[in-house]
Amino acid sequence: MVKPQRPFMPSLPPGGTDRDDKDRRSDPADAASYDASATMEAWERLLATDRKPAAGLVRGVIERSWQRSVHSGVDARGRGSELVVTTDEVDRLRRQNTDLLDATRKTFGRIAEVLGDTATMVVITDSQGIVIETTGDPRTIDAGHDIHLEVGANWGETVTGTNGIGTALITGQPVYVRAAEHFCEGVKAWTCIGTPIFSPLDNSVIGVIDFSGPQDIFHRHNVALGMMAASHIELALADKMRIERVRLLEASLSHLGQAVRGDGFVLLDRFGRIIHHCDVAAARWRSFSSETELRIGDRLLDLDGERWHGGIGEVAVPGALMERIEPLMLDGSFSGAMLILPPPARQAPPRRPSTQLAARRAVDEARAAIIGVSDVLLAAIERTERAAMGKAAILLEGETGAGKELFARLIHACGQETGKEPFVAFNCGAVSKELLGGELFGHAPGAFTGATREGRAGRFEVANGGVLSLDEIGEMPLELQPYLLRVLEEKAVYRIGDSRPRPVDVRLVASTNRDLKLEAAEGRFRKDLYFRISGVKISIPPLRARRGDIPLLIEHFNTQAAETYSAEPLRFRPEVLDMLESYAWPGNVRELRNIVESLFLMSTSRLVGFDDFPEDFVADLFGSDRSERAPAFADGAGRDEHEEISRIDETERRLIEKTLAASGGNTSAAAERLGISRSTLYRKLHQYRSGG
């Protein structure tokens, strides 16, 4: 049998050696999950006989990792990483992982406070296990040089065998490796706790955060701390990516103009990875490449992430789709690109030719008024523009505040030929039923009490040659509905008190927040009128379904308010924006606009926090918060590890309660100390108090 020698670890503080049997027995839970003697026996047997270790001597996740290490040809007598990249390669890797490194800075500071003077170093690696950043106890970092646990060293499992970094990358799960569980002899005086960091873009593993030091650093709260640290880094990455995506979307629309919405487009980050595409682009992609799909996170073009070279590098795009690609610059630096996928001529929707500049300008303005780039919104816009080319009546269905009038104006703009056609909007629920008939159809002189002496044209006559938008048409009284049906059928209007027909050529666009089909079936709306006004039905998506549009709308309304009041725009804390994006918005875009305007007037500073919102709105906000992903712990077949994770919540609860007490009950201060947002702290407190 191989008799391993204890590796030399200079400058380690007291407690950096193996604990004796008495200490080990004093912690039954530790003894159940780790026995140094049994682990060494299993390791020696593996090397001596090239057989699997005896069942039960080591945890399943360790046994499988040892087998992979043998299969990869890792030297079991090695003293750590045998592969260290050059300084130039380190610089390149750090540039490629700028986002990851930026996201770790705040977390590193918080970890340093929690770990204090414990003999622990913290390591960040890239997706291959190459160390790109270290921090923590200086003596432990210095000792790490002996085993090449340092920037530039590769700690992938195929290079360095079983260890917290490489094994976490292989399994995609948090992993701890204690002392003798390491595969390489020279690392067996160390303990490491590695947790994968997942990309918010495509959920792939982009790196690992690892706690390493003498074997006595192993405590369950360090396992929980590693998982929480990875979660915080992922949240910081998601926030950064969200902001960058919104800015790139804004830059793309500004750079290429609103006409891009009629095309299929794919938005790429500076590495050529897909961060957004519309449904139109996906459909056109499939028409040319039926075997592949556009997937968020896929690298479509070979961009280097640093500069725009005036070309497109290695193209993974079907040739028939290559129209053009436009670089996108943020703050003077290359930050992404937009790939345009125009429809083939046979797929192009019919467009009414317009020779008047005013008509074209009206279409651009109507499109620009509908803020958002979500797939469901773009699909509704495209369907609306197609419907506008015909003559049939259109029924817009959508919740209150979703923006139905903006779509009605888009229909009007797209159907114009001269740019001078009238648009008349009228809310059927805004006037009494006694006055509604006169408002719509007009009246003869003295036709009824309150009628004008001269008579007056109704909305149909005013809209002649253009579009009449009737909002809340479901509010129209049953007794007036036959008159509306007659106007639509005969294309002539009869003023109240007048028997003379007046011809009208009006495109009707009706809007409702009701289920008119059900209303008609139950007798509350005339069936014949329903079928007459619903030649084309278009559903306007609610704001909660428009993924990614909320930040754009907030910025739009914020800018509008700043211009109105001649003041600086508001700034929103990241946790506030996160919660606003998760809110259900029952009042839709109208509610969001009102909230932003209210904040502009009532906020005590330019930086908006939860304290600036009305109390009832904050309560609704937290009530609609979404649960976060909780990664499972890699344990192989080990029941003990599952039990450990079941206790992590208890560890977290105690940490939060202790921090809250130390902060005098101040949730803002406690959240700051914990390195989490206040909304996350509120949610966790609610979870613990409700027993969830």
Side-chain angles (χ1 to χ4, degrees):
M1 294 186 180
V2 177
K3 188 68 174 179
Q5 296 182 355
R6 184 178 188 81
F8 174 65
M9 294 181 61
S11 304
L12 284 179
T17 60
D18 287 329
R19 293 186 295 173
D20 58 28
D21 290 341
K22 179 180 179 181
D23 289 337
R24 189 178 304 112
R25 286 192 298 269
S26 67
D27 189 344
D30 280 359
S33 60
Y34 173 71
D35 185 304
S37 298
T39 303
M40 286 302 302
E41 178 186 345
W43 180 76
E44 291 169 347
R45 182 182 301 179
L46 174 71
L47 299 185
T49 63
D50 197 25
R51 293 189 295 110
K52 283 188 176 182
L57 291 180
V58 295
R59 295 179 292 138
V61 66
I62 299 300
E63 179 182 340
R64 288 189 293 275
S65 178
W66 282 0
Q67 293 293 334
R68 290 193 298 266
S69 300
V70 171
H71 181 74
S72 299
V74 178
D75 182 8
R77 297 174 180 83
R79 291 185 55 83
S81 177
E82 299 297 331
L83 180 60
V84 180
V85 302
T86 65
T87 302
D88 289 343
E89 182 67 8
V90 169
D91 290 341
R92 185 185 68 82
L93 290 174
R94 288 178 64 87
R95 288 196 303 270
Q96 284 187 345
N97 291 276
T98 298
D99 291 346
L100 174 59
L101 291 173
D102 288 345
T104 63
R105 288 195 177 97
K106 186 174 182 180
T107 300
F108 266 14
R110 298 289 177 252
I111 290 173
E113 293 178 4
V114 174
L115 293 177
D117 58 356
T118 59
T120 306
M121 65 182 292
V122 186
V123 173
I124 295 292
T125 78
D126 70 357
S127 60
Q128 303 303 311
I130 298 176
V131 179
I132 57 176
E133 186 67 280
T134 63
T135 191
D137 177 56
R139 292 172 296 177
T140 307
I141 293 174
D142 185 61
H145 294 308
D146 291 343
I147 59 172
H148 293 306
L149 185 57
E150 57 193 359
V151 172
N154 190 326
W155 280 78
E157 196 181 71
T158 59
V159 175
T160 320
T162 305
N163 70 90
I165 295 169
T167 307
L169 285 173
I170 289 290
T171 63
Q173 306 261 347
V175 171
Y176 67 81
V177 180
R178 299 183 63 179
E181 291 179 330
H182 285 89
F183 184 74
C184 288
E185 180 181 359
V187 194
K188 287 184 177 291
W190 289 73
T191 284
C192 49
I193 302 167
T195 306
I197 301 169
F198 294 90
S199 168
L201 190 62
D202 60 0
N203 209 35
S204 62
V205 178
I206 59 174
V208 166
I209 181 168
D210 171 78
F211 298 164
S212 287
Q215 62 174 304
D216 280 359
I217 72 165
F218 178 76
H219 297 289
R220 286 191 179 80
H221 69 261
N222 281 345
V223 178
L225 182 61
M227 296 173 67
M228 290 176 66
S231 178
H232 293 166
I233 292 171
E234 290 167 8
L235 289 172
L237 277 169
D239 189 56
K240 180 179 176 64
M241 289 183 178
R242 176 185 57 78
I243 293 172
E244 183 175 288
R245 178 177 178 271
V246 169
R247 294 187 68 196
L248 285 174
L249 285 168
E250 292 173 341
S252 65
L253 294 178
S254 173
H255 183 63
L256 297 177
Q258 294 293 328
V260 73
R261 289 178 172 172
D263 294 327
F265 69 93
V266 182
L267 192 61
L268 311 175
D269 68 6
R270 63 183 184 276
F271 299 106
R273 300 173 302 192
I274 300 173
I275 60 175
H276 176 82
H277 64 76
C278 61
D279 287 341
V280 176
R284 290 167 190 167
W285 180 274
R286 285 191 295 270
S287 70
F288 286 100
S289 181
S290 58
E291 296 180 356
T292 61
E293 294 281 343
L294 288 175
R295 291 188 299 269
I296 299 298
D298 280 1
R299 188 161 184 170
L300 195 61
L301 301 180
D302 187 19
L303 305 178
D304 69 7
E306 295 182 59
R307 61 184 65 86
W308 174 252
H309 297 292
I312 56 176
E314 183 180 346
V315 179
V317 182
L321 283 180
M322 280 306 299
E323 164 73 5
R324 70 185 188 276
I325 185 169
E326 299 284 349
L328 299 175
M329 314 296 285
L330 297 179
D331 302 324
S333 300
F334 169 62
S335 300
M338 173 172 273
L339 182 68
I340 306 300
L341 312 179
R346 66 179 183 276
Q347 293 181 349
R351 294 286 183 181
R352 179 178 295 174
S354 175
T355 58
Q356 299 296 320
L357 180 61
R360 292 197 299 270
R361 185 182 298 117
V363 173
D364 291 340
E365 291 176 352
R367 285 174 178 163
I370 304 175
I371 307 298
V373 291
S374 61
D375 288 341
V376 291
L377 183 68
L378 294 179
I381 290 173
E382 184 174 26
R383 180 171 171 79
T384 300
E385 291 178 345
R386 288 177 180 271
M389 297 299 104
K391 289 288 188 181
I394 298 175
L395 178 62
L396 301 176
E397 298 178 313
E399 297 177 6
T400 299
K404 296 186 289 295
E405 184 175 332
L406 294 179
F407 279 82
R409 290 185 179 277
L410 179 60
I411 293 169
H412 168 248
C414 291
Q416 290 185 103
E417 293 183 352
T418 67
K420 298 181 179 179
E421 292 85 347
F423 174 84
V424 178
F426 181 74
N427 188 325
C428 297
V431 297
S432 66
K433 63 180 182 180
E434 292 79 14
L435 298 177
L436 184 58
E439 291 289 337
L440 285 177
F441 311 121
H443 60 82
F448 53 86
T449 302
T452 63
R453 185 174 300 177
E454 300 80 12
R456 192 178 70 174
R459 304 302 171 102
F460 269 95
E461 289 182 70
V462 176
N464 188 33
V467 168
L468 174 61
S469 172
L470 294 184
D471 193 15
E472 296 188 35
I473 195 168
E475 301 293 334
M476 178 173 285
L478 275 170
E479 56 267 29
L480 280 180
Q481 292 179 20
Y483 294 96
L484 175 59
L485 181 62
R486 182 181 181 185
V487 172
L488 296 176
E489 294 289 351
E490 298 181 4
K491 295 186 177 181
V493 65
Y494 294 81
R495 293 184 180 180
I496 295 177
D498 188 356
S499 60
R500 179 169 64 93
R502 300 172 186 268
V504 290
D505 179 16
V506 172
R507 176 76 177 274
L508 180 67
V509 178
S511 304
T512 183
N513 59 6
R514 296 185 179 184
D515 184 348
L516 282 191
K517 186 176 182 180
L518 178 62
E519 297 274 308
E522 296 182 352
R524 293 188 295 273
F525 197 86
R526 289 182 62 102
K527 289 184 179 180
D528 48 4
L529 179 59
Y530 168 73
F531 291 119
R532 185 66 180 81
I533 65 175
S534 60
V536 177
K537 290 197 296 184
I538 298 173
S539 295
I540 311 304
L543 184 54
R544 61 180 173 276
R546 293 167 51 179
R547 187 173 181 84
D549 286 353
I550 290 174
L552 292 175
L553 288 163
I554 290 174
E555 179 64 24
H556 174 71
F557 294 136
N558 190 16
T559 301
Q560 277 190 340
E563 293 174 353
T564 300
Y565 297 104
S566 300
E568 290 294 321
L570 297 172
R571 292 179 295 113
F572 292 80
R573 294 184 183 275
E575 61 268 24
V576 172
L577 287 175
D578 289 342
M579 293 300 293
L580 290 178
E581 284 193 84
S582 69
Y583 181 52
W585 295 109
N588 292 291
V589 178
R590 183 181 299 145
E591 182 184 12
L592 176 57
R593 181 194 64 200
N594 292 341
I595 283 292
V596 173
E597 290 180 355
S598 173
L599 288 171
F600 210 91
L601 294 173
M602 303 304 294
S603 178
T604 56
S605 70
R606 294 294 89 188
L607 182 61
V608 176
F610 289 114
D611 292 340
D612 296 306
F613 290 87
E615 290 185 5
D616 57 342
F617 184 79
V618 173
D620 291 341
L621 211 58
F622 293 135
S624 64
D625 190 17
R626 297 167 293 187
S627 61
E628 297 176 356
R629 170 178 57 84
F633 198 89
D635 65 351
R639 179 181 59 189
D640 296 327
E641 287 70 38
H642 280 298
E643 294 174 352
E644 288 172 2
I645 293 308
S646 69
R647 298 186 184 99
I648 287 176
D649 284 345
E650 177 65 16
T651 301
E652 183 183 68
R653 182 185 67 80
R654 291 177 180 174
L655 178 62
I656 288 176
E657 289 179 347
K658 181 178 178 181
T659 306
L660 195 59
S663 304
N666 187 314
T667 54
S668 297
E672 182 69 18
R673 289 190 181 188
L674 290 166
I676 61 178
S677 68
R678 189 166 57 175
S679 61
T680 300
L681 179 58
Y682 284 154
R683 188 181 66 255
K684 289 183 179 295
L685 289 172
H686 176 74
Q687 172 187 338
Y688 297 141
R689 290 165 181 169
S690 62

